[in-house]
């Protein structure tokens, strides 16, 4: 591992923050914190913490010795000075004389000594940072350090690697007891440059930011070098089916099973994130994957995000997905039972009885394919997948030099159900369409973009499809999701697009089939080529995407909604607009047919009939021409309805959102036209 320290970059940070009134000490603390947080081999998703002991001025102007330590909710990779709240140091130091300190009292003391009462809670390892005397202290969960310490003889291996240069701290749950133990061990050998916290991570320290950071890099490098010595062959491959099913076929099944894993008939949609690479395949394809994958997480810090073990699924054979579904369902049920048993085993040890968390796995291993992170949002699914990849790398190296072993199950339970760890996750109310994946075709147009924004505002995850890749990307700008190039008139392109959605999110819950374009001409004179083009886009494309979405929804087994952008032309044809109206009329029949054929699967099909929307279907020249033909202004033409108001793309989007949420409505058509009685439907 190479040091990323740069004198020029360090001074740049100092200059930038000094202008904002931030001290040199704190600016350098931010700089090296980001160096650590930017390397996933050291820190992932809120893990690790850093501190600096410095001086700040309090409200009355007195200079106060403080500990600026990472605050809860901040990530080292993009931390700002506000993420390192200042705590008065002297009161913390006096606590070391105590024999014990409850978690509640520890948090109270830390918060009570903040210079800014609105600052985030200091790290649960604040006391450890305080009790060590060094100015700069860094803590990471380095994969290399974990690989050498997560062993039955991990302490001996670390002694071989580091000699007297690092102190050795046996595993103790983070908090006051660990802080006292670490400080005591340090004082027995004050010349060490850091501490190895066995089966947990590593601390390094120094009198300046560069020294503490580069001691971390040097220690991790020594561990990496040890991992290259005496390696044995890792993971003999198991026998797998000759042909493995595709990810897009497996992901919706997995997503459906994760939704129903709560048990008792209850279900809650989840999002999944697929990962694969040669190292992951070697891991999940191993004949002993049922042993090494079920030992436990590589550091207790990961437990709250991915639980102690993943669910191990059978290898999915192409052409035999029914067998995979049965085997996967059995695996999910076994996981839930094992999780319940784990809770029953360890809950009685708690001073205050806990409430069992959900039994839904957060990582699934699929031999032949790779792994899936599972979460309540794309972000949490990605976090789970990142941590799972980190686990693969750590255990692979651990098994190459010995036998992987983490802390005990009881210790893991204490961390998972520790209120201070659960507080890191935060609690927030979910929006109505959270956990739902919405695929929108024609997302690059005005209506498509409005639909994407409206669903995102309701908490949905957006997959924006458009024939123009740039337009697809623009549709999710500022709202997140996936922008995917897709020609809806090409079944192969549609198949590729939905495969990407399944890999990224696991499936589809709502399809908004919105892509379309207008062709005009007198029906008795229009060329067949024009009519066929219009049917390809305005009818057959709707069928192509709906057919693909239905298969995914059926595999998930959690229902869904097919929503189609029809047109008032479908029920109220206008002159010279037959090439557009005819396929739209067929699409209206298509909506009702899907409602009839798939209602039993909980899949609803509805449509929106809109008229006179500035959407690209009617360009500005056409609007002007039609207004002129009627002898009215463009504004009057666009507002030529019962309400005398122009209808906006956002109004159309609101109708689609309503239909997506209308759980008892199918085969319905909503008009969004300001009132056109000739096109009205029930």
């Amino acid at each position: 591992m190479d040091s990323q320290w740069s004198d020029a970059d360090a001074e740049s940070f100092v200059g930038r923050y000094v202008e904002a009134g931030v001290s040199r000490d704190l600016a350098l603390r931010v700089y090296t914190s980001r160096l650590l947080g930017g390397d996933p081999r050291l820190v992932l998703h809120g893990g690790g913490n850093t501190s600096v002991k410095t001086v700040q001025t309090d409200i009355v102007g007195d200079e106060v010795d403080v500990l600026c330590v990472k605050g809860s909710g901040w990530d080292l990779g993009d931390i700002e000075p506000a993420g390192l709240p200042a705590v008065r140091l002297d009161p913390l130091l006096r606590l070391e004389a105590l024999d014990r300190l409850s978690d509640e009292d520890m948090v109270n003391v830390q918060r009570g000594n903040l210079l800014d009462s609105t600052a985030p809670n200091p790290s649960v390892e604040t006391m450890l940072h305080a009790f060590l005397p060094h100015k700069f202290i860094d803590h990471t969960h380095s994969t290399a350090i974990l690989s050498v310490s997560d062993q039955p003889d991990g302490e001996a291996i670390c002694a071989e690697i580091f000699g007297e240069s690092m102190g050795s701290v046996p595993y103790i749950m983070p908090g006051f007891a660990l802080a006292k133990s670490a400080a005591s061990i340090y004082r027995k050998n004050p010349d060490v440059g850091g501490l190895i916290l066995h089966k947990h991570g590593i601390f390094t320290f120094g009198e300046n930011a560069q020294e503490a950071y580069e001691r971390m890099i040097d220690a991790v490098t020594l561990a990496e070098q040890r991992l290259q010595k005496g390696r044995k062959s890792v993971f003999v491959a198991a026998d797998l089916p000759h042909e493995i099913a595709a990810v897009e076929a497996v992901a919706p099944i997995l997503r459906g099973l994760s939704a129903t894993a709560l048990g008792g008939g209850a279900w809650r949609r989840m999002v999944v994130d697929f990962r694969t690479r040669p190292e992951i395949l070697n891991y999940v394809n191993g004949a002993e994957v049922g042993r090494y994958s079920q030992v436990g997480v590589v550091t207790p810090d990961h437990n709250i995000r991915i639980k102690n073990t993943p669910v191990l699924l059978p290898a999915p054979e192409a052409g035999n997905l029914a067998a995979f579904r049965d085997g996967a369902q059995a695996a999910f049920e076994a996981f839930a039972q094992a999780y319940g048993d784990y809770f029953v085993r360890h809950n009685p040890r708690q001073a205050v009885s806990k409430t069992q968390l959900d039994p839904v796995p957060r990582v699934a291993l699929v031999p032949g394919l790779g792994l899936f992170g599972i979460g309540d949002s794309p972000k949490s699914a990605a976090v789970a997948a990142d941590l799972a990849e980190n686990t693969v790398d750590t255990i692979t190296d651990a098994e190459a030099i010995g036998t992987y072993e983490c802390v005990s199950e009881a210790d893991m339970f204490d961390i998972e159900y520790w209120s201070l760890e659960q507080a890191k996750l935060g609690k927030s109310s979910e929006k109505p369409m959270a956990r739902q994946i919405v695929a929108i075709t024609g997302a690059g147009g005005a209506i498509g973009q409005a639909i994407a924004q409206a669903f995102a505002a309701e908490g949905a995850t957006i997959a924006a499809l458009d024939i123009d890749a740039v337009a697809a990307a623009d549709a999710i700008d500022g709202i997140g999701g996936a922008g995917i190039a897709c020609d809806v008139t090409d079944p192969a392109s549609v198949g590729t697009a939905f495969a990407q959605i399944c890999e990224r999110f696991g499936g589809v819950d709502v399809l908004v089939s919105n892509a379309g374009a207008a062709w005009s001409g007198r029906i008795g004179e229009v060329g067949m080529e024009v009519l066929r083009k219009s049917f390809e886009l305005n009818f057959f494309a709707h069928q192509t995407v709906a057919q693909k979405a239905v298969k995914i929804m059926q595999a998930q087994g959690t229902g869904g909604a097919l929503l189609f952008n029809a047109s008032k032309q479908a029920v109220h044809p206008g002159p010279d607009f037959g090439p557009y109206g005819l396929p739209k009329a067929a699409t209206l029949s298509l909506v009702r047919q899907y409602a009839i054929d798939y209602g039993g699967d909980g899949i609803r099909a509805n449509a929106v009939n809109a008229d006179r929307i500035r959407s690209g279907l009617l360009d500005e020249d056409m609007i002007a021409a039609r207004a002129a033909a009627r002898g009215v202004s463009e504004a009057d033409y666009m507002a030529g309805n019962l309400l005398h108001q122009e209808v906006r793309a956002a109004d159309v989007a609101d109708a689609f959102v309503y239909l997506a949420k209308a759980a008892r409505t199918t085969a319905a058509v909503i008009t969004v036209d300001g009132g056109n009685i000739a096109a009205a439907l029930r």
Side-chain angles (χ1 to χ4, degrees):
M1 179 170 283
D2 296 325
S3 170
Q4 301 301 309
W5 175 276
S6 161
D7 289 339
D9 289 347
E11 290 305 318
S12 174
F13 265 74
V14 171
R16 179 196 319 172
Y17 285 117
V18 163
E19 292 181 3
V22 174
S23 70
R24 180 180 184 86
D25 284 347
L26 190 52
L28 290 173
R29 178 67 288 173
V30 171
Y31 171 59
T32 53
S33 295
R34 290 193 183 185
L35 291 183
L36 296 170
D39 192 329
R41 296 171 297 174
L42 297 174
V43 172
L44 279 173
H45 301 298
N49 40 72
T50 58
S51 71
V52 60
K53 296 179 179 72
T54 188
V55 175
Q56 291 191 3
T57 304
D58 67 11
I59 192 67
V60 297
D62 293 337
E63 290 191 338
V64 180
D65 290 329
V66 297
L67 175 75
C68 293
V69 63
K70 191 191 111 173
S72 179
W74 283 84
D75 193 299
L76 292 182
D78 57 8
I79 200 165
E80 295 284 350
L84 292 151
V87 190
R88 294 175 186 271
L89 183 57
D90 287 344
L92 300 184
L93 295 177
R94 293 175 61 191
L95 296 174
E96 191 178 356
L98 299 177
D99 291 330
R100 63 182 59 193
L101 183 68
S102 70
D103 293 337
E104 294 76 14
D105 286 340
M106 181 178 73
V107 171
N108 187 50
V109 169
Q110 292 172 181
R111 282 213 62 81
N113 284 284
L114 285 167
L115 259 61
D116 178 0
S117 64
T118 65
N121 281 334
S123 165
V124 297
E125 290 171 316
T126 292
M127 295 299 177
L128 201 163
H129 286 266
F131 293 170
L132 294 172
H134 309 83
K135 186 175 182 69
F136 285 86
I137 299 177
D138 298 345
H139 170 44
T140 75
H141 303 124
S142 154
T143 58
I145 295 295
L146 290 170
S147 291
V148 297
S149 70
D150 282 8
Q151 301 277 347
D153 56 347
E155 294 190 33
I157 295 173
C158 289
E160 167 204 332
I161 296 170
F162 302 110
E164 296 296 318
S165 68
M166 299 288 286
S168 177
V169 182
Y171 178 79
I172 301 174
M173 182 174 170
F176 182 71
L178 174 60
K180 285 201 58 157
S181 175
S184 174
I185 289 168
Y186 163 75
R187 290 193 181 96
K188 293 175 183 176
N189 187 2
D191 294 329
V192 298
L195 299 171
I196 302 297
L197 275 58
H198 285 280
K199 300 178 179 175
H200 175 166
I202 175 175
F203 276 78
T204 56
F205 26 72
E207 288 313 302
N208 59 66
Q210 183 176 2
E211 182 178 42
Y213 167 71
E214 292 193 334
R215 281 178 171 174
M216 177 69 70
I217 301 305
D218 290 344
V220 171
T221 298
L222 289 174
E224 290 176 334
Q225 291 171 349
R226 172 62 180 86
L227 290 169
Q228 298 309 311
K229 296 178 181 178
R231 291 177 72 91
K232 62 186 179 184
S233 178
V234 184
F235 309 147
V236 175
D239 290 332
L240 298 176
H242 177 68
E243 186 177 355
I244 298 294
V247 176
E248 60 264 33
V250 169
I253 296 173
L254 172 60
R255 184 165 180 249
L257 291 172
S258 69
T260 57
L262 291 172
W267 63 277
R268 182 180 62 188
R269 286 186 174 97
M270 303 293 278
V271 179
V272 305
D273 187 327
F274 176 68
R275 306 289 174 86
T276 194
R277 51 186 166 89
E279 295 82 1
I280 293 174
L281 286 173
N282 287 339
Y283 185 91
V284 300
N285 293 351
E288 292 189 273
V289 65
R291 173 185 62 80
Y292 52 76
S293 74
Q294 302 300 302
V295 175
V297 291
V298 298
T299 179
D301 186 72
H302 293 178
N303 190 294
I304 59 170
R305 291 177 172 84
I306 59 173
K307 298 192 181 292
N308 200 22
T309 57
V311 62
L312 178 57
L313 304 184
E317 183 178 9
N320 195 9
L321 287 173
F324 171 74
R325 179 188 291 276
D326 290 344
Q329 182 170 353
F332 268 82
E333 291 171 354
F335 183 96
Q337 180 64 51
Y339 188 81
D341 293 344
Y342 153 80
F343 180 80
V344 170
R345 279 195 301 277
H346 299 292
N347 189 42
R349 298 186 298 103
Q350 305 299 305
V352 177
S353 182
K354 307 290 185 180
T355 300
Q356 182 181 318
L357 300 172
D358 73 67
V360 182
R362 294 305 192 270
V363 175
L365 306 182
V366 184
L369 280 185
L371 64 82
F372 292 84
I374 303 171
D376 56 15
S377 67
K379 180 180 178 180
S380 62
V383 167
D386 285 346
L387 294 176
E389 287 203 65
N390 177 273
T391 300
V392 167
D393 294 338
T394 303
I395 294 180
T396 298
D397 279 344
E399 288 280 313
I401 67 165
T403 303
Y404 172 66
E405 179 185 271
C406 61
V407 302
S408 72
E409 183 183 87
D411 288 324
M412 288 295 188
F413 182 91
D414 290 342
I415 290 290
E416 183 177 5
Y417 282 85
W418 189 23
S419 60
L420 300 189
E421 282 291 283
Q422 286 294 324
K424 292 181 180 180
L425 299 179
K427 303 294 181 184
S428 60
S429 58
E430 290 189 323
K431 293 183 178 180
M433 295 204 67
R435 305 168 183 262
Q436 296 203 49
I437 314 303
V438 179
I440 304 164
T441 68
I447 290 179
Q449 290 190 22
I451 293 169
Q453 292 165 2
F455 274 103
E458 293 291 308
T461 297
I462 307 302
L465 280 58
D466 197 277
I467 194 169
D468 183 334
V470 174
D474 288 345
I476 60 166
D477 185 33
I479 62 175
I484 300 172
C486 177
D487 178 357
V488 293
T489 65
D490 178 1
S493 180
V494 170
T496 299
F498 277 86
Q500 291 180 48
I501 296 171
C502 289
E503 285 196 21
R504 180 77 179 272
F505 305 122
V508 172
D509 302 302
V510 178
L511 167 68
V512 182
S513 190
N514 168 67
W519 281 269
S520 60
R522 297 185 73 185
I523 196 63
E525 300 169 10
V526 69
M528 291 300 292
E529 181 182 355
V530 170
L531 197 57
R532 290 183 188 279
K533 282 184 178 180
S534 184
F535 263 91
E536 283 295 332
L537 180 58
N538 294 311
F539 172 72
F540 286 109
H542 289 296
Q543 164 65 351
T544 300
V545 295
Q547 201 169 51
K548 191 67 179 177
V550 158
K551 290 179 181 178
I552 294 171
M553 292 173 184
Q554 286 180 306
Q556 292 171 160
T558 54
L562 305 173
L563 307 178
F564 299 81
N565 193 341
S567 166
K568 76 93 181 177
Q569 283 292 129
V571 293
H572 181 211
D576 299 334
F577 223 34
Y580 179 62
L582 288 171
K584 284 295 189 178
T587 296
L588 202 57
S589 292
L590 184 73
V591 173
R592 290 168 171 164
Q593 197 64 49
Y594 269 104
I596 292 167
D597 288 349
Y598 295 97
D601 294 312
I603 298 172
R604 297 174 290 114
N606 296 295
V608 171
N609 274 1
D611 189 27
R612 299 188 190 182
I613 315 296
R614 296 181 190 271
S615 62
L617 293 178
L618 294 174
D619 61 26
E620 296 303 316
D621 290 341
M622 188 178 291
I623 290 172
R626 291 188 173 188
R630 288 167 173 76
V632 298
S633 69
E634 289 184 28
D636 286 341
Y637 170 73
M638 294 302 289
N641 52 54
L642 299 179
L643 297 178
H644 304 297
Q645 296 184 45
E646 181 172 343
V647 183
R648 307 160 303 167
D651 299 316
V652 181
D654 288 343
F656 279 116
V657 171
Y658 166 77
L659 288 172
K661 293 160 62 176
R664 299 294 182 269
T665 299
T666 193
V669 180
I670 291 181
T671 55
V672 184
D673 55 15
N676 176 358
I677 201 65
L681 293 166
R682 76 171 180 85

